[in-house]
Structure formats: structure tokens, C-alpha cells
Amino acid sequence: PVFALLQAEIVSLQAMGKNGNHKKLRLKQSNDLPLEALWFNAPESSAQIQAGSIVDIAGTLSQNTWRNKTSLQLIIKDLHHL
């Protein structure tokens, strides 16, 4: 299923990949705990997005295991800068 995350704040943003076209974001919505999100093949317009931006996101949940620690992460399918 595809989930909507509305009016989320980007807490941090980091470029990834050889060409920097993938993004790793930490998102926060209201008083909830931050959520890690990955945006593969982000468009060039993503350069306008920065920490502190408010966005609406559509994405799917994925389980990430790294160094024996498992967490949920959101795989971004679409992002709209508000």
C-alpha cells in the first residue's frame, strides 16, 4: 500500500549515490518521532528542498536492517513541497 504523510517537516536532508540523485531524509510530523525516508532518482527540482521545508509525501514502508538493528523507513514515491 501507498501511504500519505501530510505536512511533514524535513529535519535533515542528505544526498546519496554517485551523482547525488538519491536523497535520505529525516521527517517529522507534529509531535511524532522522526521517520527516515529514502527518495531514489529524485528530480532536479529536489534541490529546492532543504531542512525545515514542509512537504506532503506519498510512499511505501520498508524494513531496513543495518548492523543487526531493524527499523522502518519510507520509500518516497512522490513529494510535494508546500
Side-chain angles (χ1 to χ4, degrees), residues 1-8 27 29 32 35 55-61 74-80:
V2 177
F3 296 93
L5 189 60
L6 303 176
Q7 296 186 351
L27 306 166
Q29 189 178 35
D32 295 336
L35 174 67
V55 295
D56 287 343
I57 294 176
T60 57
L61 288 177
L74 186 71
I75 305 300
I76 298 172
K77 301 297 180 189
D78 193 22
L79 184 147
H80 178 71

Side-chain angles (χ1 to χ4, degrees), residues 3 24-27 33-38 60-66 69-75:
F3 296 93
K24 182 177 183 178
L25 297 84
R26 266 186 97 64
L27 306 166
L33 294 173
L35 174 67
E36 183 176 292
L38 298 177
T60 57
L61 288 177
S62 175
Q63 181 176 307
N64 179 39
T65 302
W66 176 255
K69 183 180 175 188
T70 301
S71 62
L72 285 179
Q73 62 186 10
L74 186 71
I75 305 300

Side-chain angles (χ1 to χ4, degrees), residues 3-71:
F3 296 93
L5 189 60
L6 303 176
Q7 296 186 351
E9 178 184 357
I10 297 176
V11 177
S12 65
L13 174 69
Q14 175 183 358
M16 301 180 347
K18 182 178 178 180
N19 300 320
N21 60 331
H22 308 309
K23 309 291 182 197
K24 182 177 183 178
L25 297 84
R26 266 186 97 64
L27 306 166
K28 188 168 183 172
Q29 189 178 35
S30 301
N31 293 324
D32 295 336
L33 294 173
L35 174 67
E36 183 176 292
L38 298 177
W39 193 6
F40 295 104
N41 299 310
E44 287 184 25
S45 62
S46 67
Q48 299 172 359
I49 297 166
Q50 58 189 353
S53 294
I54 305 297
V55 295
D56 287 343
I57 294 176
T60 57
L61 288 177
S62 175
Q63 181 176 307
N64 179 39
T65 302
W66 176 255
R67 297 185 180 176
N68 295 323
K69 183 180 175 188
T70 301
S71 62

